[in-house]
């Protein structure tokens, strides 16, 4: 397989994965729709930082050791699930208590001030605590590395393709969310958004805990 063919083929695979609605999509849309554009981009950069780390670790063979170790994989899975469920529970709790949206947001690691740094930390944690990302890279990345090429260099190049696609799609999501921002100015609409997002995050956390 030529390098150019490997890049295009991998781009198709991760492109379809990126377009599939999931936890990352929910976090980006929710943060941006609440008017926190800088934080939304922080979330995006954090997610892509996690992707870069998983790609680099896979290229070095580290994640292969993780997935081969049932204990390590299970521990990371439970930590990630606990983080997501905790985040979802706090988000849902505050909306059903009828607290003002600003107060509810400030109590969450998912929200808070409109800062790139806060969003970056949340996005990075969410990605790195998802062992399925590591399992995906271990299963898929080696298949697109041409024989005779540097495993680490080619792995990082493929990961860069994934990051680029993720950034482009995130820009589309943030732009779409800004269109909805005016409709979410009312507290009732914001609470509804938090309930939807909290439910999505909670479902992902439960599925991760169950190993689905």
């Amino acid at each position: 397989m030529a390098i150019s063919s490997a890049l295009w083929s991998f781009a198709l695979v991760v492109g379809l994965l990126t377009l599939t609605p999931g936890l990352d999509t929910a976090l980006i849309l929710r943060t941006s729709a609440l008017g926190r554009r800088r934080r939304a981009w922080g979330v995006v950069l954090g997610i892509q930082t996690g992707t870069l780390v998983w790609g680099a670790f896979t290229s070095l063979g580290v994640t292969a050791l993780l997935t081969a170790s049932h204990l390590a994989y299970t521990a990371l899975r439970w930590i990630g699930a606990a983080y997501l469920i905790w985040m979802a529970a706090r988000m849902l709790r505050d909306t059903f208590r009828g607290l003002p949206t600003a107060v509810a947001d400030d109590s969450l690691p998912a929200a808070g001030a409109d800062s790139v740094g806060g969003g970056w930390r949340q996005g990075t944690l969410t990605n790195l605590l998802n062992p399925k990302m590591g399992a995906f890279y271990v299963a898929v990345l080696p298949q697109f590395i041409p024989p005779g090429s540097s495993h680490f260099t080619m792995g990082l190049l493929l990961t860069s393709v994934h990051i680029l696609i993720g950034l482009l799609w995130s820009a589309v999501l943030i732009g779409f969310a800004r269109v909805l921002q005016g409709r979410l100015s009312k507290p009732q609409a914001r609470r509804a958004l938090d309930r939807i997002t909290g439910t999505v995050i909670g479902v992902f956390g439960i599925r991760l805990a169950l190993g689905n």
Side-chain angles (χ1 to χ4, degrees):
M1 180 187 295
I3 293 179
S4 59
S5 299
L7 292 175
W8 282 111
S9 300
F10 185 74
L12 177 61
V13 172
V14 296
L16 293 174
L17 177 67
T18 302
L19 293 175
T20 302
L23 175 61
D24 294 349
T25 302
L27 290 175
I28 294 169
L29 283 175
R30 184 257 179 182
T31 307
S32 183
L34 290 179
R36 294 182 170 89
R37 190 179 183 187
R38 287 192 295 272
R39 188 179 182 92
W41 275 112
V43 171
V44 171
L45 295 176
I47 290 170
Q48 301 313 322
T49 298
T51 299
L52 178 61
V53 171
W54 281 120
F57 278 7
T58 301
S59 301
L60 291 171
V62 176
T63 47
L65 297 177
L66 173 64
T67 54
S69 172
H70 179 71
L71 180 60
Y73 182 87
T74 301
L76 183 58
R77 179 167 60 85
W78 277 103
I79 293 172
Y83 172 71
L84 293 178
I85 293 173
W86 173 78
M87 185 165 59
R90 295 194 68 184
M91 189 180 297
L92 292 171
R93 180 200 64 185
D94 288 344
T95 62
F96 282 104
R97 280 182 173 181
L99 296 177
T101 304
V103 175
D105 284 346
D106 288 339
S107 69
L108 290 168
D114 186 15
S115 66
V116 174
W120 180 84
R121 288 191 294 271
Q122 184 209 359
T124 303
L125 271 177
T126 301
N127 194 298
L128 291 181
L129 291 178
N130 183 5
K132 291 187 177 182
M133 273 294 293
F136 169 80
Y137 264 81
V138 169
V140 175
L141 198 67
Q143 300 181 36
F144 293 91
I145 297 180
S149 61
S150 169
H151 198 285
F152 182 72
T153 303
M154 189 64 193
L156 288 183
L157 186 58
L158 292 169
T159 303
S160 299
V161 171
H162 191 180
I163 291 173
L164 177 59
I165 293 174
L167 289 173
L168 293 174
W169 179 238
S170 296
V172 173
L173 292 176
I174 291 175
F176 174 73
R178 291 196 68 189
V179 175
L180 300 177
Q181 185 177 336
R183 300 184 180 182
L184 295 172
S185 58
K186 297 181 180 180
Q188 297 89 338
R190 295 195 172 199
R191 281 195 292 269
L193 177 63
D194 274 357
R195 289 173 185 175
I196 294 172
T197 308
T199 300
V200 170
I201 293 173
V203 168
F204 273 95
I206 293 172
R207 289 183 61 186
L208 186 59
L210 296 177
N212 296 330

